[in-house]
């Protein structure tokens, strides 16, 4: 029997989608700003146990040291982003990162590593002119999320765990958001949550690529919902690949997971299938070049066919001394050993792996979007990083803008009221989710997932051109049609993971199509986006970002509100 309306309707003042750094910071700030309001965090997984903030290894960029400055952090961010960042967003990031790290330490109880003199230890990360990455060993994200989750649990903040958001529902006059439709994954029931303000913080996640780093719960659901709601998304062609994903075969989920950047930083070599070092042929900085440069060089080498048994390349650390490597990279050595590799003394197979989406929903420095009442923060948002994200700016982004969103939503709802949802939109959303339950020949989703992984990896990946992007668009459309025809093998609704896989794939295909369209529109190579048919970076002064809405891409000029190409905010720079 097809449900026509949600089984249940709940009501809250502020509804937060996702419990990563952005979602949890938003919840704490909204609650602190207005304790009388009801705040609810709804999440696909379990609060504190899912998302990528928990997976942060390296650390958090913040200009704390006396010799460093927010101007320097800002310039590194703008230059790293190849001048495509929204400068007001980037400025807010670098300024408020200082407040957030103090709050994490002094109010929430995070213990970050310290120097012998008691100051916070800050390490080097690629693409930065100062060592400004705060960390807790190489498990920084666990420290941050555990402390945030404890604080949320201790307060009167509502939780809807294992609740998957499936549609943003406008009010019946179409003028604002009225709430969000969910599937309670435990029962399979539809739940509509009315809210005066909603935060989209589902964390993007480029898991449409064959090799990827993010957690499995991240399938671009938020971005797909935003596209369907008619919101503009920017910089969608900008997908960051991390050069050293572990390559251990198709039988293990460890394939794709990150071997940290510090290995290359410490002097590790990349070797091809013939065990020859190749990076010096591609860039003067060799293995220490930025992520985009190294990933491109690796992909080019792989295309020549000179690869390892699993089709990748090797990382070699042995020349640095096995004992020293084990001491410095204990976690990485153990991770590799689990997969049968000897990182300290031997060779480990690696492959570039999709890591982060710079693109996302267009938003203002106060986290508002084009839809009144809908706010966005974290990896679902676009514009902070431009064409490339610096390592360490991801978790800064989610915590900084999560907190801003919490404060702003608390202020917004004081003059807002609940709105009636558009009934037709609710019905249409339920009908969409019900589609795979109709009767028909059931099949496996695996071949469809493999097709998606292949087309994105081969044609919309590290190297792109007009022909590959055009062919990808056709393949993605046919994949979407195949998903529309798909029938589930069982009508069970409770924890029906195949149903959720189908929904995951629908989101991923919709967002993949946006990536391919934006990549076709940018006829130049910038940051993470490389067109073999347009290898030049184009004029920095004429920089424009892609904005996609209702399937149409527009190039919009970047406003150099603080600094223009060729200028700097730093004093005493020749
Ligand atoms: C392995 C790895 C290492 C990293 N290391 C670093 C680092 O050292 N430094 C750095 O700055 N950045 C790092 N990053 C990037 C960083 O993790 C992210 O930029 C940031 O944490 C994203 O925060 P977020 O709150 O936007 O999303 P997340 O923390 O990913 O949270 C997203 C949340 O949304 C939920 N969700 C998803 N879909 C739905 C749905 N449909 N309904 C309800 N809830 C949903 C998820 O379950 C999750 O709770 C790393 C990323 C990875 C994958």
């Amino acid at each position: 029997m097809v449900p026509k309306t949600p089984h249940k309707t709940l009501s809250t003042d502020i509804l937060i989608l996702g419990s990563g750094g952005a979602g949890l910071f938003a919840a704490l700030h909204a609650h602190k700003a207005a304790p009388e309001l009801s705040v609810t965090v709804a999440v696909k997984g379990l609060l504190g146990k899912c998302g990528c903030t928990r997976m942060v290894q390296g650390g958090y960029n913040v200009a704390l040291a006396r010799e460093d400055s927010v101007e320097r952090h800002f310039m590194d961010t703008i230059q790293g982003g190849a001048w495509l960042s929204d400068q007001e967003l980037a400025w807010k990031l670098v300024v408020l990162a200082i407040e957030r790290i103090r709050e994490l330490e002094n109010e929430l109880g995070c213990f970050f590593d310290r120097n012998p003199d008691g100051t916070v230890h800050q390490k080097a990360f690629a693409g930065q002119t100062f060592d400004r990455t705060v960390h807790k060993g190489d498990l920084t994200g666990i420290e941050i999320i555990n402390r945030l989750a404890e604080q949320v649990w201790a307060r009167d903040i509502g939780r809807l765990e294992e609740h998957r958001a499936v549609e943003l529902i406008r009010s019946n006059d179409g003028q604002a958001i009225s709430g969000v439709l969910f599937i309670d994954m435990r029962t399979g029931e539809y739940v509509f949550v009315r809210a005066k303000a909603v935060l989209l913080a589902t964390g993007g996640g480029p898991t449409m690529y064959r090799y990827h780093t993010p957690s499995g719960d991240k399938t671009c659901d938020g971005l797909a919902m935003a596209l369907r709601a008619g919101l503009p998304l920017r910089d969608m062609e900008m997908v960051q690949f991390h050069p050293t994903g572990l390559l251990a075969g198709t039988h293990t989920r460890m394939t794709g997971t990150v071997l940290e950047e510090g290995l290359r930083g410490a002097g590790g070599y990349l070797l091809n299938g013939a065990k020859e070092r190749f990076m010096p042929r591609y860039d003067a900085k060799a293995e220490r070049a930025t992520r985009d440069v190294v990933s491109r060089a690796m992909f080019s080498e792989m295309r020549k066919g000179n690869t390892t048994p699993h089709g990748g390349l090797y990382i070699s650390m042995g020349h640095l001394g096995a004992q020293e490597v084990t001491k410095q990279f204990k976690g990485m050595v153990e991770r590799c050993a689990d997969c049968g590799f000897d990182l300290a003394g031997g060779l480990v197979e690696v492959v570039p792996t999709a890591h982060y989406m710079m693109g996302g929903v267009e938003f203002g420095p106060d986290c508002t979007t084009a839809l009144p009442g809908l706010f966005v923060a974290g990896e679902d948002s676009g514009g902070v990083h431009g064409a490339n994200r610096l390592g360490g700016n991801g978790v800064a982004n989610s915590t900084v803008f999560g907190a801003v969103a919490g404060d702003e939503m608390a202020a917004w709802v004081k003059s807002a009221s609940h709105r009636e949802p558009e009934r037709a939109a609710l019905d249409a959303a339920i009908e969409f989710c019900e589609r795979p339950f109709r009767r028909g020949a059931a099949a496996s989703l695996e071949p469809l997932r493999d097709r998606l992984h292949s087309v994105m990896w081969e044609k919309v990946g590290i190297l792109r051109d007009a022909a590959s992007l055009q062919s990808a668009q056709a393949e993605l459309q046919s994949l979407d049609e195949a998903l529309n025809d798909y029938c589930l093998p069982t009508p069970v609704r409770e924890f029906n993971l195949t149903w959720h896989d189908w929904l995951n794939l629908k989101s991923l295909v919709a967002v993949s199509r946006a990536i391919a369209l934006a990549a076709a529109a940018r006829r130049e190579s910038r940051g993470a986006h490389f067109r073999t048919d347009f290898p030049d970076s184009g004029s920095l002064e004429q920089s424009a970002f892609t904005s996609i809405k209702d399937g149409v891409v527009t190039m919009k000029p970047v406003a150099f509100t603080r600094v223009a190409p060729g200028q700097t905010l730093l004093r005493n720079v020749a």
Side-chain angles (χ1 to χ4, degrees), residues 36 45 86 97 99 103-104 143 148 153 174 189 219 224 233 238 246 271 293 332 369 409 429 436 504 540 554:
E36 71 283 6
D86 176 308
E99 259 182 37
E103 185 177 350
L104 280 164
E143 178 71 2
L148 284 170
W153 286 324
E189 291 180 336
T219 53
L233 269 59
M238 300 300 177
L246 188 61
L271 311 180
V293 171
M332 295 294 121
T369 68
M409 288 190 298
N504 289 343
L540 292 184
T554 315

Side-chain angles (χ1 to χ4, degrees), residues 17-23 42-45 50-60 125 163-165 182 201-203 213-215 217-218 221 225 258 355-356 377-380 389-396 398:
L17 307 182
S19 67
V43 53
K44 202 173 177 182
C50 54
C52 286
T53 307
R54 199 178 167 79
M55 298 166 81
V56 165
Q57 301 170 351
Y60 189 122
F125 248 32
H163 275 63
R164 175 197 190 109
F182 291 87
T202 68
T213 66
S215 54
D217 51 327
K218 298 228 299 189
D221 297 338
M225 288 189 283
V258 164
H355 188 47
Y356 187 90
E379 209 176 320
D380 272 346
R389 171 183 71 89
L390 298 182
N393 268 1
V395 63
S398 60

Side-chain angles (χ1 to χ4, degrees), residues 174-453:
Q175 297 303 305
I177 191 151
S178 72
V180 177
L181 181 71
F182 291 87
I183 297 171
D184 177 345
M185 297 167 76
R186 293 165 298 193
T187 61
E189 291 180 336
Y190 294 100
V191 180
F192 177 62
V193 182
R194 283 156 54 101
K196 296 174 187 166
V198 174
L199 177 67
L200 197 62
T202 68
T207 53
M208 65 282 277
Y209 288 90
R210 186 182 296 153
Y211 305 108
H212 56 255
T213 66
S215 54
D217 51 327
K218 298 228 299 189
T219 53
C220 294
D221 297 338
L223 297 176
M225 288 189 283
L227 282 170
R228 287 197 295 272
L231 291 163
L233 269 59
R234 65 175 283 171
D235 301 327
M236 288 304 291
E237 71 280 21
M238 300 300 177
V239 179
Q240 181 172 74
F241 285 79
H242 194 294
T244 49
L246 188 61
L247 185 59
T250 48
H251 65 285
T252 168
R253 288 294 303 266
M254 292 303 285
T255 283
T257 57
V258 164
L259 293 184
E260 73 151 286
E261 194 141 291
L263 295 171
R264 285 181 294 118
Y269 291 156
L270 290 168
L271 311 180
N272 60 23
K275 301 185 181 148
E276 291 159 354
R277 200 170 161 221
F278 57 88
M279 273 311 301
R281 278 194 273 118
Y282 290 89
D283 193 275
K285 291 192 190 130
E287 284 83 357
R288 290 187 189 178
T290 50
R291 287 178 183 177
D292 53 333
V293 171
V294 180
S295 295
R296 269 199 298 281
M298 290 173 73
F299 198 69
S300 305
E301 203 65 18
M302 286 161 61
R303 277 201 167 166
K304 289 182 194 158
N306 197 353
T307 55
T308 61
H310 286 117
L313 300 159
Y314 293 112
I315 189 161
S316 162
M317 302 295 292
H319 58 283
L320 301 172
Q323 246 182 341
E324 185 53 33
V325 174
T326 309
K327 191 172 131 213
Q328 227 184 314
F329 299 103
K330 187 168 172 287
M332 295 294 121
V333 169
E334 284 167 6
R335 173 176 288 190
C336 291
D338 285 345
C339 296
F341 293 116
D342 172 14
L343 177 66
L347 299 176
V348 180
E349 287 184 66
V350 290
V351 68
T353 178
H355 188 47
Y356 187 90
M357 299 173 76
M358 275 69 78
V361 178
E362 288 180 32
F363 77 120
D366 56 0
C367 294
T368 51
T369 68
L371 180 60
L374 180 71
F375 296 73
V376 68
E379 209 176 320
D380 272 346
S381 69
V384 178
H385 312 292
N388 221 338
R389 171 183 71 89
L390 298 182
N393 268 1
V395 63
N397 175 38
S398 60
T399 54
V400 160
F401 287 100
V404 170
D407 295 337
E408 295 288 341
M409 288 190 298
W412 159 271
V413 299
K414 286 191 176 154
S415 55
S417 50
H418 282 115
R419 294 169 179 250
E420 277 309 305
E422 190 197 330
R423 285 283 146 195
L426 266 176
D427 292 347
I430 292 176
E431 210 175 298
F432 169 83
C433 298
E434 284 297 310
R435 197 175 263 178
F437 279 112
R438 74 183 177 289
R439 295 232 190 108
S444 164
L445 279 173
E446 281 312 308
L448 299 182
R449 189 196 322 280
D450 287 347
R451 270 174 66 188
L452 175 64
H453 283 169

Side-chain angles (χ1 to χ4, degrees), residues 20-66:
L24 294 183
F25 249 106
L28 291 173
H29 269 242
H31 182 73
K32 188 174 179 185
E36 71 283 6
L37 297 175
S38 59
V39 177
T40 304
V41 180
V43 53
K44 202 173 177 182
L46 296 174
L47 193 145
K49 299 289 179 203
C50 54
C52 286
T53 307
R54 199 178 167 79
M55 298 166 81
V56 165
Q57 301 170 351
Y60 189 122
N61 290 343
V62 51
L64 287 183
R66 208 163 344 130

